[in-house]
Amino acid sequence: MNAIFPFGLPHPTAVYVNLFLLTFVLHQTFMHYVLAGSLYLTWATIRQGCTTHLIEQPLAATLRDWMPFLLSAAITAGVAPLLFIQIVYQYQFYTANLLLWWRWGVVVPVLIVAFYLLYLIKSRMLWTWPYAVRVAVVLATSSSFVFVGFCWTINHLLANSEANWPDIYTTGRLPFSVVAVILRMLVWIGGSFATMSVIVGWQLNYRQSHHSDSSTVAGPRELAGMSICGLVTAMLAAAGYVALSGAAPRSLVFGTFSLPYVLLAISGAILQTIGWSLQWRSNRLEVFGLSLSTIGSLMTLFGVSVIREAIRISAVDFAGLYPRHTEAANVGGFGVFVVVAVAVTLVIAWCVRLVSTGMHDVDKDYSIPERPTA
Ligand code: HEM
């Protein structure tokens, strides 16, 4: 691994790993919206008590409106990296799935419940219910997403610790340090607020440009604050996580293989901060600032994904997997993948366009019906 990623890897391996990374970035983009969105909504619901109408906040209202759709986008976009990970790390991935046992089995039921809860949160009915019930519903929803993310983290760590598999199988105990798991979770939880702020920033910018009274649009300062705090948390946690990793992963991360991607991730974070600072100063959501933050966000997501991959590559016998990649490349099916990927993307884009015309409707009734009096 003396060349910059992906140079130096055999052609089929480089193609599959890059396809995994690109589709994984897409999955993260949508998943971050749902994860950070549900956590924000939990906080907003707890803070508002039962006197103020949560719906009066455009940020919360937009999240409530769009989270069910973005969850389906996150799940759809998760299928492609799920496909490529099985090609690149088949043996490690399947073994981790088996060792995760019931935790892996409950991921799908938990996701189904969370999906329905998102629709309940979107409905006007929930907001007529007592404060305690509203808090319980949003808390259950955000906890479900954190739990699903936690399962993916443990699955990833399990796949990378082949030496511990016999022990885990016989004792059922997971050998990971709580600090390392928490740091890793803080990387994706913190990062999710940065990504979510960019997407919802565009949505609110759109609303702002179609709304005569821009004072009703969420303050860019709230989004800027969330994004920058999220980025700082994620970067500190990432530094802590890499410091805790062994010498082998560190030398690959900071060696020729992935150092350019460390710089890419940091430059992306700086670009995002500049974009949000401009909007903080003008106190408006602006196309230029949002564009800087969007480009920065994509740079950070891709950079971090390559660093994440470098750590995994250092933990497994990666060269031993090359023949399997060559074998998979000879089977074919790439053309079908491209056709289906383009078709699905077009259908999703068409759905977004169809739904977003509803955002033109600036008088859309966001109010909560009065609670019936006894
Ligand atoms: C909203 C629900 C979901 C959340 C919150 C979520 C969260 C996450 C997180 C946090 C990771 C990275 C874990 C880490 O690196 O520590 C991850 C990885 C991944 N997720 Fe999701 N995920 C969700 C749903 C899905 C679904 C439904 C699929 C498949 C259809 C999926 C496919 C993947 C794949 C393939 C990876 C990469 C695993 C690896 O590299 O080890 N995710 N997800």
Side-chain angles (χ1 to χ4, degrees), residues 324-346:
R324 166 88 197 128
H325 304 156
T326 312
E327 197 187 315
N330 290 333
V331 172
F334 187 70
V336 178
F337 166 75
V338 173
V339 170
V340 173
V342 170
V344 169
T345 309
L346 288 177

Side-chain angles (χ1 to χ4, degrees), residues 278-364:
L278 292 175
Q279 296 175 90
W280 178 289
R281 277 180 53 192
S282 65
N283 201 15
R284 272 189 77 78
L285 291 164
E286 286 164 346
V287 170
F288 180 67
L290 281 173
S291 304
L292 285 188
S293 303
T294 306
I295 296 168
S297 176
L298 290 173
M299 285 163 65
T300 307
L301 283 176
F302 191 72
V304 169
S305 302
V306 176
I307 298 166
R308 177 180 182 272
E309 220 43 53
I311 297 175
R312 169 157 46 194
I313 286 172
S314 73
V316 301
D317 171 19
F318 198 57
L321 301 173
Y322 294 165
R324 166 88 197 128
H325 304 156
T326 312
E327 197 187 315
N330 290 333
V331 172
F334 187 70
V336 178
F337 166 75
V338 173
V339 170
V340 173
V342 170
V344 169
T345 309
L346 288 177
V347 170
I348 291 177
W350 179 68
C351 289
V352 172
R353 202 177 137 59
L354 209 63
V355 177
S356 62
T357 49
M359 293 180 80
H360 277 301
D361 181 7
V362 293
D363 297 323
K364 186 169 177 178

Side-chain angles (χ1 to χ4, degrees), residues 64-83:
R64 285 180 50 214
D65 229 14
W66 282 81
M67 276 198 302
F69 172 76
L70 266 294
L71 176 60
S72 49
I75 294 173
T76 310
V79 175
L82 188 61
L83 170 76

Side-chain angles (χ1 to χ4, degrees), residues 20 24 27 31 82 85 152-153 156 184 188 308 312:
F20 168 75
F24 182 50
H27 167 56
M31 174 271 278
L82 188 61
I85 200 173
W152 279 106
T153 291
H156 180 90
R184 200 176 170 98
W188 48 259
R308 177 180 182 272
R312 169 157 46 194

Side-chain angles (χ1 to χ4, degrees), residues 91-136:
Y91 170 59
Q92 287 82 357
F93 184 70
Y94 289 169
T95 311
N97 293 180
L98 293 173
L99 289 174
L100 248 190
W101 187 214
W102 63 268
R103 299 175 199 86
W104 201 232
V106 295
V107 164
V108 172
V110 167
L111 261 183
I112 292 173
V113 171
F115 216 143
Y116 283 109
L117 288 180
L118 281 185
Y119 278 104
L120 185 58
I121 291 173
K122 187 176 163 135
S123 78
R124 300 168 102 224
M125 185 175 63
L126 175 71
W127 306 93
T128 62
W129 292 353
Y131 172 73
V133 179
R134 283 187 263 161
V135 170

